[in-house]
């Protein structure tokens, strides 16, 4: 049955390419349409937790991921302008021992390149770039997909299903399914890469650093395969000022001393602002059209699980589209299996954002809790997240 099914996917990012690989392994024909002229991802760093790595390994990417990622030994948590960490959360071998898989960081573009390289090896995956617009409508024997190819040729085709993997501003969600726009979170991510020689001496080079401040926080970790340090700072912002954000600039954060002051100096005015929005909608599909990843449930990045949830989505949906009697059944089952978990992660991520940005005196209580939990406390708290396996959910 699956050999006669063609699935169209909008978006050649992490979600779309992971799904394409999963579908191709079941023998389905996959067409990925992408508005950009080549694969590429905005941003810099990406964290691959064990739950995501498990699914990527099943696609045959283990060795390639190991060669282009870095496994931090832990997460040093700093409060205010402190020169020494308040607490260190254990990762490295401890994470491998507990979950059988590493917790790693890598450049986002490297992951997309790996997925794209793997997809090109499948004859039943076609990727069409520079697709400016597309239309999807129900037909008598399935969906009809229409779009303009780069050479101006109009393509009309039948599809078993159409999947919107086109991100937080998803056209599939907003224009085709009419399921609503993304919601501005009130926060901005400021991203940059700095040279290793600009790395603050007080921060460990074998760990991730989490810098907690008053109404801001930062995440710093090395990307040795790129010979750079990934830095992202999160600040609050009013919605009316979004339109005036520069393409490049300096974050509205000040520090006179400590590692943050060094990082701000190293980044100068080369920070790229990214508006953080979330997506919360009542349904992830209508008939044979569905959504995955940020298009369905974009979340704040404060648990570093946005990409991981997209990867889990793809791993869940692929076998359903291959075996279900129709696409509507596949999407319905997929949403049933995924929604409760995803919403739990969304809530956790939003809560982390509030905790990270606590002001005095509430920050004192937060710090006391961090100390009391110890270096392994996060494992017990997050076993449900990192130890998850999509194959253990009922199909």
């Amino acid at each position: 049955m699956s050999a006669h099914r063609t699935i169209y996917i909008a978006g050649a990012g992490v979600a779309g390419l992971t799904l394409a690989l999963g579908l191709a392994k079941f023998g389905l024909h996959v067409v990925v349409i992408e508005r950009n002229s080549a694969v590429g991802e905005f941003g810099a760093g990406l964290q691959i937790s064990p739950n995501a790595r498990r699914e990527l390994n099943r696609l045959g990417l283990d060795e390639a991921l190991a060669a282009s990622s870095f496994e931090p030994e832990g997460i040093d948590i700093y409060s205010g302008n402190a020169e020494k960490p308040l607490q260190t959360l254990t990762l490295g071998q401890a994470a491998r021992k507990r979950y059988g898989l590493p917790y790693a960081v890598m450049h986002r573009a490297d992951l997309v390149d790996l997925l794209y390289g793997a997809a090109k090896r499948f004859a039943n995956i076609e990727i069409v770039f520079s697709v400016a617009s597309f239309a999807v409508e129900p037909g008598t024997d399935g969906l009809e997909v229409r779009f303009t190819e780069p050479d101006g040729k109009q393509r009309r085709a039948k599809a078993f299903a159409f999947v919107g993997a086109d991100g937080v501003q998803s056209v599939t969600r907003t224009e085709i399914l009419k399921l609503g726009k993304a919601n501005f979170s009130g926060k901005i991510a400021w991203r940059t890469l700095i040279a290793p020689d600009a790395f603050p001496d007080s921060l460990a080079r074998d760990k991730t650093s989490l810098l907690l401040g008053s109404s801001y926080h930062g995440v710093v970790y090395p990307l040795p395969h790129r010979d750079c340090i990934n830095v992202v700072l999160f600040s609050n912002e009013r919605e009316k000022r979004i339109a005036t954000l520069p393409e490049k600039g300096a974050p509205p954060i000040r520090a006179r001393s400590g590692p943050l002051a060094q990082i701000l100096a190293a980044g100068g005015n080369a920070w790229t602002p990214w508006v953080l929005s979330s997506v919360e909608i009542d349904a992830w599909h209508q008939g044979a059209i569905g959504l995955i990843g940020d298009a369905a449930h974009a979340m704040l990045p404060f648990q570093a699980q946005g990409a991981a949830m997209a990867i889990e989505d793809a791993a869940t949906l692929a076998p359903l589209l291959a075996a279900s009697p129709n696409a509507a059944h596949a999407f319905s089952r997929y949403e049933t299996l995924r929604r409760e978990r995803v919403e739990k992660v969304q809530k956790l991520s939003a809560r982390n954002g509030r905790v990270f940005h606590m002001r005095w005196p509430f920050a004192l209580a937060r710090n006391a809790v961090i100390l009391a939990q110890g270096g392994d406390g996060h494992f017990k708290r997050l076993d449900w997240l990192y130890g998850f396996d999509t194959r253990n959910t009922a199909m």
Side-chain angles (χ1 to χ4, degrees):
M1 183 185 299
S2 62
H4 302 290
R5 296 183 172 184
T6 298
I7 313 296
Y8 276 76
I9 301 171
V14 172
L17 291 174
T18 304
L19 178 60
L21 287 169
L23 293 168
K25 285 181 173 288
F26 283 102
L28 282 76
H29 180 221
V30 185
V31 181
V32 181
I33 56 176
E34 167 60 46
R35 64 180 179 178
N36 294 311
S37 60
V39 293
E41 282 283 333
F42 175 85
L46 181 74
Q47 301 188 44
I48 304 294
S49 51
N51 50 308
R53 184 60 171 267
R54 180 175 289 107
E55 307 304 338
L56 294 173
N57 285 1
R58 286 171 176 161
L59 296 175
L61 299 175
D62 188 19
E63 291 186 7
L65 287 166
S68 57
S69 64
F70 172 72
E71 295 180 41
E73 290 299 315
I75 303 174
D76 283 339
I77 302 177
Y78 293 79
S79 181
N81 295 323
E83 295 282 349
K84 294 183 178 181
L86 171 72
Q87 180 67 274
T88 298
L89 307 183
T90 305
L91 290 176
Q93 288 301 316
R96 279 183 171 269
K97 182 177 180 181
R98 193 175 188 97
Y99 304 113
L101 294 156
Y103 192 109
V105 296
M106 65 187 302
H107 198 285
R108 182 179 293 268
D110 289 341
L111 175 58
V112 174
D113 285 344
L114 290 178
L115 293 168
Y116 178 58
K120 289 196 297 183
R121 293 192 285 271
F122 281 87
N124 50 331
I125 297 179
E126 178 187 3
I127 302 178
V128 184
F129 292 105
S130 299
V131 174
S133 62
F134 57 87
V136 186
E137 296 178 355
T140 56
D141 55 349
L143 295 175
E144 181 178 270
V145 180
R146 302 191 307 276
F147 61 92
T148 304
E149 296 182 335
D151 61 2
K153 181 181 178 182
Q154 297 289 321
R155 186 189 293 200
R156 302 169 69 99
K158 297 294 183 181
F160 177 75
F162 187 93
V163 183
D166 44 350
V168 64
Q169 304 299 338
S170 169
V171 172
T172 310
R173 182 187 73 247
T174 58
E175 297 186 15
I176 294 176
L177 296 179
K178 310 293 185 183
L179 288 175
K181 296 182 179 181
N183 304 307
F184 175 52
S185 68
K187 292 180 170 57
I188 302 292
W190 296 84
R191 296 166 166 169
T192 194
L193 299 172
I194 63 175
D197 58 8
F199 195 78
D201 294 335
S202 58
L203 301 184
R205 291 177 178 265
D206 62 345
K207 298 184 181 75
T208 292
S209 297
L210 174 61
L211 313 175
L212 306 180
S214 179
S215 299
Y216 74 85
H217 79 281
V219 179
V220 184
Y221 50 78
L223 295 172
H225 303 87
R226 290 263 180 158
D227 192 31
C228 63
I229 310 297
N230 177 73
V231 185
V232 57
L233 299 177
F234 301 93
S235 66
N236 298 331
E237 189 56 85
R238 289 176 292 176
E239 187 169 8
K240 65 180 182 180
R241 295 186 60 181
I242 292 176
T244 63
L245 286 172
E247 291 187 8
K248 293 282 185 179
I253 298 171
R254 301 291 178 264
R256 295 183 178 180
S257 62
L260 180 60
Q262 293 177 266
I263 288 170
L264 287 169
N269 290 314
W271 302 78
T272 301
W274 182 252
V275 176
L276 297 180
S277 299
S278 62
V279 173
E280 298 177 32
I281 51 179
D282 294 332
W284 296 353
H285 70 97
Q286 290 176 8
I289 306 172
L291 304 166
I292 68 169
D294 283 353
H297 47 68
M299 60 187 67
L300 297 177
F302 305 144
Q303 190 56 55
Q305 284 292 301
M309 290 300 102
I311 290 166
E312 287 185 9
D313 283 353
T316 302
L317 182 57
L320 291 169
L321 285 174
S324 295
N326 55 67
H329 180 274
F331 284 127
S332 178
R333 187 64 183 143
Y334 147 76
E335 184 171 346
T336 297
L337 291 171
R338 295 292 298 154
R339 182 176 277 276
E340 182 178 355
R341 174 171 169 81
V342 166
E343 289 181 348
K344 185 175 181 180
V345 179
Q346 281 182 312
K347 291 177 182 177
L348 173 62
S349 300
R351 177 182 177 275
N352 284 348
R354 294 190 294 271
V355 170
F356 292 167
H357 288 205
M358 281 181 172
R359 293 176 174 269
W360 187 91
F362 304 105
L364 297 178
R366 175 200 65 200
N367 293 352
V369 171
I370 291 172
L371 281 171
Q373 288 183 343
D376 293 330
H378 63 300
F379 285 148
K380 297 176 184 178
R381 184 169 54 88
L382 296 173
D383 276 342
W384 64 272
L385 180 58
Y386 297 151
F388 182 79
D389 186 342
T390 59
R391 292 187 179 179
N392 291 338
T393 58
M395 300 300 290

